[in-house]
Amino acid sequence: MGISSDVIRGYNDTIILCLLMDEPSYGYEISRKIRTRTADAYIIKETTLYSAFTRMEKNGYVESYPGFAENGKRRTYYRITESGKRYYREKCEEWKLTKDVIEHFIREENS
Amino acid sequence: MGISSDVIRGYNDTIILCLLMDEPSYGYEISRKIRTRTADAYIIKETTLYSAFTRMEKNGYVESYPGFAENGKRRTYYRITESGKRYYREKCEEWKLTKDVIEHFIREENS
DNA sequence: AGACGTATTACGACTGTCGTAGTATCTTAA
DNA sequence: TTAAGATACTACGACAGTCGTAATACGTCT
């Protein structure tokens, strides 16, 4: 039961970028959005999330900039770049192919 | 383009077990079957395949036994165990959940 | 003689995820 | 008032699965 983090692996970047397509955001908010959008089916680990940000900034898919919370506390925001958008769209295309491949090997309970 | 082996990752075992559900087989044949069933969309790496066999035998999902090719050459066959069948069915269930999660973050080109 | 298909093994590198832990501030409830 | 819980991260090392590269060996086809 539960989700296979081994499959999500390699799609965490895509998930994060998807949410950044709407608007810039920051770690904690992204984490919340993933929870709510999946009805708690997937709860990303903090370390996974923040290391994804670091990696994607290095790859040029996102850019960070400093921001502030309502109460004045510092927060690091991330926005998606053009390159990140292209990458995201590629991953969406790739997903369809990958899904098709795997589903050739999935059986329903009756068989 | 092409398949993300990072997503297939963690489903290679499932793919192999699926083929072993039909009949016992061996490395090279499994490799061929994956190619043909996916119309060359997914070509598993030999090292990935054989290390999956080793891992799954250690986990009790498959059993190996010596066999022979038509020409008398030795070949290592693998058959799926009851435990392997259960594992396979669990992974099939898990796949549905995982797929649903990812698809919350996949957009069609129009958007 | 050499290329290609069959069939497998060995070894080390890489990458993304995870476990654990630590820091710091603010709000809320006992 | 004091502790718990939510917010918002960062650091570090371990682990597992995949991949690159290479080697072996035999058979068949050209």
Side-chain angles (χ1 to χ4, degrees), chain A residues 34-89:
Chain A
I34 293 172
R35 277 192 75 148
T36 53
R37 195 180 278 209
T38 64
D40 285 8
Y42 182 46
I43 300 170
I44 195 169
K45 299 286 178 299
E46 296 179 10
T47 39
T48 302
L49 175 60
Y50 290 107
S51 70
F53 276 142
T54 309
R55 178 176 56 252
M56 289 200 290
E57 183 154 38
K58 213 169 282 168
N59 293 342
Y61 299 150
V62 299
E63 284 166 357
S64 68
Y65 61 94
F68 297 93
E70 301 68 37
N71 59 16
K73 278 193 71 182
R74 295 171 157 294
R75 216 146 55 174
T76 305
Y77 279 85
Y78 292 88
R79 77 168 77 85
I80 191 167
T81 64
E82 282 309 311
S83 164
K85 287 177 189 172
R86 275 198 303 281
Y87 178 73
Y88 171 69
R89 291 196 199 96

